[in-house]
Amino acid sequence: MSTPSATQAEPRPLPHGRRMVAVAVLVPLLAALALWAFAWPAARTAPRDLPLGVAGPAAATAQMEKQLAQHEGAFEIHRYADEAAARDAVEDRTVYGAVVVTPQGTELLTASAASPFVAQLLQQTVAEQAAASGAQVRTVDVVAAPEADPRGSALNASVLPLALAGIAAGAAVTLLGLRGLRAVGALVGAAALVGVVAAALAHSWLGVLAGDWWAEAGSFALSTLAVGATVAGLAALLGQAGVGVAAGVVMLFGNPFSGAATAPQMLPEPFGTIGQWLPPGAGTSLLRSVSFFDGAAATGPALTLAWWAALGLGAVLLGSALTARTKRAEPAPEREPVAVG
């Protein structure tokens, strides 16, 4: 009978002392990383190239643009000929708001549905500038947040549950040993059910969403699938460690950098942009677009989520194929001769 070689022997577990040191060091490092990811962006919230429209005759808007330019790097100015063009830009999600100068006075167009935080910020900024010149500003909420959720709290709170649902789906597929098309079917089915349940709760029961019901359900489902497929895909390629890697990226970077509570342009760069490349940020932007803006500016975040989902599902299939190929390549175990009689 052959004895296993040293290379085939299982690695020895770490001594208890080293385990204690590893826990004592890694846990504080993980806590510090989590505090940095969540607290630092919140402490550095400020407008950075926030798209803002200015409409009216050039002679009338020159002073307003000069005042806005004093907030260096805060606003990205878009010029429009009249109020109608500025209103269209707000409804298309090209800008978060617009300052319209008319013979009757200054008017501020906002969209609290896009971000109640930004709408309030624009009101304060424009009101302060108008007060300095003794003028009054009339505010018009072009796309208002629903009465059931005027501060957008419910929509912001949906980011974490969707991320957890995706992580749970990917981890469950991995732990249950599902592979190939079975894993893909389980992930797609779970995401579809999450989308229906989430739309039923947020739209039908709470009334915090106001768009097409099935489009909202699809947004919830696609967000969940993007996370779940990524978790299961990395696990298929890296083993169970892939679950931790994917979950860590989604929880420690995707959630705090999503800009759900404010806006991506309110976060320090490049983290506001990075957040829109990750499923939680793209999912939030997609849900706002289909729920309040008739799908305006939904293409970008929808494609981002679709890419995450496609790459994750592709990794699931690839990992399953590699595992099957490895098993076929392994030599069959030799059977020991058995004495007869």
Side-chain angles (χ1 to χ4, degrees):
M1 179 180 292
S2 60
T3 57
S5 63
T7 57
Q8 295 176 340
E10 295 183 358
R12 295 181 179 179
L14 289 175
H16 292 294
R18 293 186 180 181
R19 295 181 187 179
M20 293 174 60
V21 172
V23 172
V25 172
L26 292 178
V27 170
L29 287 177
L30 183 61
L33 179 61
L35 286 173
W36 169 80
F38 282 87
W40 178 69
R44 297 292 185 269
T45 299
R48 296 170 176 85
D49 291 329
L50 188 74
L52 177 64
V54 174
T61 60
Q63 182 63 26
M64 178 59 66
E65 291 185 27
K66 183 178 180 180
Q67 292 175 344
L68 291 173
Q70 293 177 359
H71 303 272
E72 187 174 354
F75 300 106
E76 179 185 274
I77 303 299
H78 296 244
R79 296 172 180 82
Y80 301 99
D82 51 27
E83 179 181 353
R87 184 181 291 267
D88 289 341
V90 174
E91 294 175 346
D92 291 340
R93 301 201 71 185
T94 303
V95 294
Y96 281 92
V99 182
V100 182
V101 180
T102 67
Q104 291 75 29
T106 303
E107 184 177 74
L108 173 64
L109 306 180
T110 63
S112 58
S115 172
F117 184 91
V118 171
Q120 185 178 6
L121 171 70
L122 293 178
Q123 291 180 42
Q124 294 175 351
T125 302
V126 177
E128 289 175 0
Q129 294 180 350
S133 58
Q136 295 292 328
V137 178
R138 185 172 71 93
T139 301
V140 178
D141 199 348
V142 177
V143 186
E147 295 182 0
D149 188 27
R151 296 180 179 86
S153 302
L155 188 144
N156 301 338
S158 68
V159 177
L160 180 59
L162 287 177
L164 291 176
I167 292 172
V173 165
T174 302
L175 296 177
L176 292 175
L178 298 178
R179 296 193 179 96
L181 293 178
R182 291 183 179 180
V184 171
L187 290 168
V188 173
L193 289 176
V194 168
V196 171
V197 171
L201 291 174
H203 185 119
S204 303
W205 181 41
L206 297 176
V208 298
L209 301 179
D212 181 79
W213 195 95
W214 287 108
E216 294 164 356
S219 299
F220 283 124
L222 187 56
S223 299
T224 304
L225 181 60
V227 176
T230 300
V231 172
L234 281 181
L237 296 177
L238 305 178
Q240 293 187 3
V243 175
V245 172
V249 171
V250 171
M251 295 300 296
L252 294 179
F253 300 103
N255 278 358
F257 298 158
S258 67
T262 55
Q265 292 83 0
M266 300 295 295
L267 299 177
E269 284 295 341
F271 301 104
T273 301
I274 292 174
Q276 295 304 296
W277 295 343
L278 298 174
T284 302
S285 297
L286 177 61
L287 186 60
R288 287 189 188 278
S289 292
V290 301
S291 181
F292 306 121
F293 295 88
D294 294 327
T299 303
L303 288 176
T304 299
L305 293 174
W307 272 110
W308 278 100
L311 291 175
L313 295 177
V316 169
L317 296 176
L318 176 61
S320 177
L322 292 176
T323 300
R325 180 180 179 183
T326 301
K327 288 184 176 181
R328 288 196 301 267
E330 292 179 354
E334 296 181 0
R335 295 183 179 180
E336 297 182 2
V338 179
V340 178

